Amino acid sequence: MKTAILYISVHHGNTKKVAAAMAQVLPADLIDLSLSNDVDLSQYDLVGLASGCFYHNMHEKILDFARQTHFPKGQKIFLLCTCGTPYRDYTKSMKKLLKQKGISVTGSFQCRGFDTFGPFARIGGIAKGHPNEKDLAKAREWAGSLN
Ligand SMILES: Cc1cc2nc3c(=O)[nH]c(=O)nc-3n(C[C@H](O)[C@H](O)[C@H](O)COP(=O)(O)O)c2cc1C
């Protein structure tokens, strides 16, 4: 199964770390959407869309990418999101957007990522050290179950 993980990881590189861990086991091509969103998805059976959480949603650029992209029929999609406070599912809007395009998401994985947004900077940030080895091990295990 040919797999790609498309990511935006702009705050501390947290999502990139988790995506890279998943890419080891799948295996998957890692594509940084902040460099270019001109990506040919036609060769992939499975595509991961990944970003940090920004204001309770996945990053606007990855939401835009999903809005504008034609995903080939039969292609499977999974989601990865890292966040400072993991108390809700921040992939909900993305799932809704994809559902409106007739795409059902195979699964989603969320874990904490070091967060120095706004007032958190004054206390040295939250979720320090995340994603840690335990997070990455969980990510590898979860990704392994997608195959
Ligand atoms: C502008 C901004 C807004 C954020 N909003 C949220 C939020 O609503 N909920 C949350 O849990 N984390 C929030 N975060 C924290 C990031 O989601 C978290 O640090 C994430 O791991 C960043 O991923 P990245 O390093 O791959 O970009 C925010 C961070 C920034 C910079």
Side-chain angles (χ1 to χ4, degrees):
M1 181 149 61
K2 196 155 167 50
T3 305
I5 305 177
L6 280 47
Y7 68 89
I8 299 271
S9 189
V10 288
H11 188 36
H12 286 293
N14 299 325
T15 310
K16 183 177 181 179
K17 284 182 199 158
V18 182
M22 289 184 173
Q24 284 172 356
V25 294
L26 281 164
D29 294 339
L30 275 178
I31 299 171
D32 185 349
L33 277 185
S34 63
L35 300 178
S36 166
N37 59 7
D38 183 16
V39 185
D40 176 12
L41 290 181
S42 61
Q43 56 179 315
Y44 296 107
D45 308 296
L46 178 65
V47 170
L49 300 176
S51 82
C53 161
F54 295 85
Y55 308 107
H56 308 303
N57 275 312
M58 292 185 77
H59 195 284
E60 191 51 40
K61 279 190 182 165
I62 205 147
L63 289 164
D64 274 348
F65 177 83
R67 258 181 225 116
Q68 288 159 18
T69 298
H70 166 72
F71 296 93
K73 205 165 188 292
Q75 189 172 63
K76 290 184 180 168
I77 308 285
F78 71 92
L79 304 176
L80 157 63
C81 184
T82 65
C83 57
T85 50
Y87 304 121
R88 51 198 268 196
D89 177 6
Y90 298 115
T91 64
K92 271 188 182 166
S93 304
M94 177 67 98
K95 283 177 184 149
K96 191 174 167 197
L97 187 163
L98 291 169
K99 197 176 172 190
Q100 282 164 354
K101 295 181 74 148
I103 299 160
S104 74
V105 170
T106 300
S108 60
F109 182 91
Q110 187 165 281
C111 77
R112 299 191 83 185
F114 181 46
D115 178 6
T116 54
F117 174 52
F120 295 134
R122 273 187 246 127
I123 56 165
I126 58 168
K128 288 178 202 166
H130 290 275
N132 57 22
E133 261 320 305
K134 208 172 160 187
D135 299 320
L136 298 180
K138 274 192 193 166
R140 282 188 206 98
E141 193 186 343
W142 184 85
S145 72
L146 291 171
N147 270 326

